[in-house]
């Protein structure tokens, strides 16, 4: 079909119509045999134009792959229908599920997202932001790798709306974060409902807001004197923590609630090294639902999912509303986590 | 400084200059007290204009945060200075390092990348592509999660250049992929140089091109009858393969070259379960350098790095050249892998 058109035009000698090049209104006009202004009127439903001609022009435009320029439209609307996602995540573990949620929402509105991986480098962040503003993005989503990481200073005063996702922005902005306390309570409730009593919490560094919040959620249900072992976000710390728990006298814990799946993996491996059966002798629950880790522990890990895709969708909806000029209530919104049950928590007899 | 300008303008009552809104040439003109055409001439270095006025206009533009519209410029140049990255990776493990490499290269040329995570859904891919073409992206990078995954059909005939990264496109396109054979040889050479002889290769599904290529590289050095156990890309298969190797009679392997870090992790864990010391009694080497896995095996894993960031940079350079209209030699380019030495390969006495 397209070939036919090309040949026809070249035969006419009217146009230097080259296949596989971006089509312009000029190409449409040449192929349809009308003036550029007629072609434009036909495509934009402006001016007076014969219905048949309009149909023909539209058909030609479709056949040769002409697209009305979003660029030209955005000049008129002063909206570029694009936003930027600025992330300091280098491994993509958090960013991609989140960005996928954002993009899915934007896609329905013809808005696309520029991805800007800053690798935590303020100079890179600055350069990306310059490029985004230069492209007149309608808004920006900032996503961090930890909630309490200070967003780049350059985000403070921008001429476009900014939404924070997995990052807590200032109170006059909209921020979406997982509800870490609720997630922790969900984990503890799951253990308690299955009959586990002496529950210990092994988690990451206490200078992480997420670690402290999860610990708070844990203590709410287990008691304010409940034991929390802060350490690192690593498997190694999981091993070490089990070493500490087993080295001391007194009644042993029945379950370990871990602050991350990686810690849980270390804990499970260390328990196996000691011949402790999970879940028969001890239950272990993680946090993250990072599938590559959680699915491959032995046994597979029951864990808390931060629902990053939903978080991304919420951030996408908020930035869309803001770029349309709609009011969005500012503040930090904590979104509920969910529990993914696998095999590391049994039922305590 | 900006505040000063705002107040001044409002006092004059000449402009409805609202702080924190995107600035237009109109704002610049109002604040500088010149006509819009003078402001435009001053900023674009067109027309005749007093040097002092030009300076003042430019200073004002900078102070109030006006940016000459890239959108307007792209209408003239017919380049949007943006490209799309279409990926079917859902976890971000491959995409983010690769996209970071792409973006770093683009950034130096003021080009930004739209990220389109298709989640392997052809309908989503189509929608993303529509949105990208609508935004007049200058080019597209397609990245897969496996080399032999058929790229979406819609990529076949596009009016813009397409570069494949971690995906093999048709011969008339430019594709960058890791050199799997060379990577495998690197692994085997490392083992052989350390005195390991009976080397077995435990890898993923044989219907993966990457698995077959790595096996080919392995056989090149170890011999055409060298043993390759194809299975899954999972830890579980690593466990199972060790079970198979230990269940049979005859001299035991001295080293296991694994097709992925996840398999290697399973292998190392299974060896520990059997009381086999790595590397004293057996060496294990992986493939991927997926740090979250490779750093946390016990002992930490020596492995092959596919240099995804460099691969992304190459793809970025190629798409930049193509969008400028430069010739780029088509074909599949295999980029060398590197070896990351940790602790899972010792020296065989």
């Amino acid at each position: 079909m397209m070939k036919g058109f090309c040949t026809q035009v070249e035969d006419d000698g009217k146009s230097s119509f080259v296949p596989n090049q971006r089509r312009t209104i000029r190409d449409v006009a040449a192929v349809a045999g009308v003036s550029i202004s007629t072609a434009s009127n036909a495509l934009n439903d402006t001016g007076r134009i014969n219905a048949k001609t309009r149909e023909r022009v539209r058909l030609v435009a479709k056949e040769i792959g002409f697209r009305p320029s979003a660029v030209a439209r955005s000049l008129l609307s002063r909206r570029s229908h694009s936003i930027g996602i600025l992330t300091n995540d280098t491994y993509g573990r958090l960013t991609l599920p989140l960005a996928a949620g954002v993009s899915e929402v934007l896609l329905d509105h013809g808005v696309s997202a520029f991805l800007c991986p800053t690798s935590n480098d303020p100079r890179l962040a600055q350069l990306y932001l310059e490029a985004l503003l230069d492209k007149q993005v309608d808004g920006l989503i900032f996503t961090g790798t930890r909630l309490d990481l200070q967003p780049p200073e350059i985000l403070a005063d921008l001429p476009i709306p900014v939404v924070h996702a997995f990052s807590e922005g200032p109170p006059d902005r909209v921020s979406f974060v997982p509800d870490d306390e609720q997630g922790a309570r969900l984990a503890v409730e799951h253990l308690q409902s299955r009959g586990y009593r002496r529950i210990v919490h092994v988690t990451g560094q206490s200078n992480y807001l997420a670690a402290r919040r999860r610990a708070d959620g844990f203590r709410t249900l287990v008691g304010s004197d409940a034991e929390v072992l802060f350490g690192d976000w690593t498997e190694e710390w999981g091993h070490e923590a089990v070493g500490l728990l087993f080295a001391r006298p007194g009644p042993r814990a029945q379950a370990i609630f871990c602050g991350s799946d990686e810690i849980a993996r270390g804990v499970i491996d260390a328990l196996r090294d000691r011949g402790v059966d999970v879940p028969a002798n001890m239950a272990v629950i993680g946090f993250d639902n990072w599938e590559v880790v959680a699915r491959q522990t032995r046994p597979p890990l029951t864990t808390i999912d931060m629902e990053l895709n939903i978080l991304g969708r919420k951030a996408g909806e908020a930035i869309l509303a803001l770029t349309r000029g709609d009011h969005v209530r500012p503040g930090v919104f904590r979104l509920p986590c969910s529990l993914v049950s696998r095999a590391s928590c049994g039922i305590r007899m």
Side-chain angles (χ1 to χ4, degrees), chain A residues 44 175 211 259 335:
Chain A
N44 293 311
S175 304
L335 305 181

Side-chain angles (χ1 to χ4, degrees), chain A residues 63-141:
Chain A
E63 291 289 343
I64 71 171
F66 169 78
R67 295 174 166 275
S69 166
V71 176
R73 272 188 278 124
S74 74
L75 253 193
L76 294 174
S77 69
R78 290 179 65 193
R79 282 190 57 192
S80 65
H81 298 278
S82 61
I83 66 143
I85 301 181
L86 211 65
T87 174
N88 58 20
D89 180 15
T90 30
Y91 291 104
R93 171 190 152 199
L94 300 165
T95 301
L96 214 80
L98 199 145
V102 172
S103 304
E104 282 160 33
V105 168
L106 297 185
L107 192 54
D108 293 336
H109 297 82
V111 175
S112 308
F114 287 115
L115 181 74
C116 306
T118 70
S119 310
N120 247 329
D121 175 345
R123 194 193 58 91
L124 267 186
Q126 173 76 45
L127 287 172
Y128 276 118
L129 201 62
E130 295 274 338
L132 289 176
L133 292 177
D134 197 45
K135 290 203 175 54
Q136 314 270 11
V137 291
D138 301 324
L140 194 74
I141 293 179

Side-chain angles (χ1 to χ4, degrees), chain A residues 227 229 238-253 256 270-271 274 276 282:
Chain A
E227 187 168 27
L229 298 176
H239 283 280
E240 210 182 310
V242 169
L244 291 173
L245 291 173
F246 275 69
R248 67 195 191 183
R252 193 167 286 171
I256 303 181
L271 291 174
R274 281 176 176 73
V276 178
M282 196 173 307

Side-chain angles (χ1 to χ4, degrees), chain A residues 31-267:
Chain A
V31 176
V34 299
S35 72
I36 292 178
S37 67
T38 301
S40 168
N41 281 334
L43 294 174
N44 293 311
D45 247 339
T46 50
R48 281 195 199 181
I49 192 166
N50 176 300
K52 250 190 174 164
T53 308
R54 188 172 59 220
E55 266 323 287
R56 191 170 80 248
V57 170
R58 290 187 172 188
L59 187 67
V60 165
K62 204 178 161 196
E63 291 289 343
I64 71 171
F66 169 78
R67 295 174 166 275
S69 166
V71 176
R73 272 188 278 124
S74 74
L75 253 193
L76 294 174
S77 69
R78 290 179 65 193
R79 282 190 57 192
S80 65
H81 298 278
S82 61
I83 66 143
I85 301 181
L86 211 65
T87 174
N88 58 20
D89 180 15
T90 30
Y91 291 104
R93 171 190 152 199
L94 300 165
T95 301
L96 214 80
L98 199 145
V102 172
S103 304
E104 282 160 33
V105 168
L106 297 185
L107 192 54
D108 293 336
H109 297 82
V111 175
S112 308
F114 287 115
L115 181 74
C116 306
T118 70
S119 310
N120 247 329
D121 175 345
R123 194 193 58 91
L124 267 186
Q126 173 76 45
L127 287 172
Y128 276 118
L129 201 62
E130 295 274 338
L132 289 176
L133 292 177
D134 197 45
K135 290 203 175 54
Q136 314 270 11
V137 291
D138 301 324
L140 194 74
I141 293 179
F142 175 74
T143 135
T145 38
R146 52 182 284 198
L147 302 181
D148 42 0
L149 204 66
Q150 211 53 35
E153 271 185 37
I154 43 166
L155 283 190
D157 190 32
L158 289 178
I160 50 171
V162 178
V163 166
H164 290 248
F166 212 87
S167 151
E168 289 195 12
D172 59 334
R173 290 236 177 101
V174 190
S175 304
F176 296 98
V177 297
D179 191 339
D180 285 296
E181 276 200 57
Q182 172 266 348
R185 288 196 307 268
L186 208 55
V188 174
E189 277 159 9
H190 183 71
L191 292 171
Q192 289 179 336
S193 72
R194 291 179 160 227
Y196 294 97
R197 286 297 165 261
R198 287 187 303 280
I199 308 172
V200 174
H201 184 35
V202 175
T203 190
Q205 285 120 289
S206 63
N207 65 349
Y208 274 67
L209 192 54
R212 294 196 303 275
R213 288 209 180 124
R214 289 168 199 174
D216 287 347
F218 167 75
R219 288 197 192 99
T220 308
L221 292 186
V222 180
S224 58
D225 57 345
E227 187 168 27
V228 178
L229 298 176
F230 289 101
D232 292 307
W233 299 108
T234 59
E235 289 189 32
E236 212 177 330
W237 165 236
H239 283 280
E240 210 182 310
V242 169
L244 291 173
L245 291 173
F246 275 69
R248 67 195 191 183
R252 193 167 286 171
Q254 293 176 354
I256 303 181
F257 163 41
C258 300
S260 79
D261 287 352
E262 284 187 80
I263 295 173
R265 165 127 214 193
V267 162

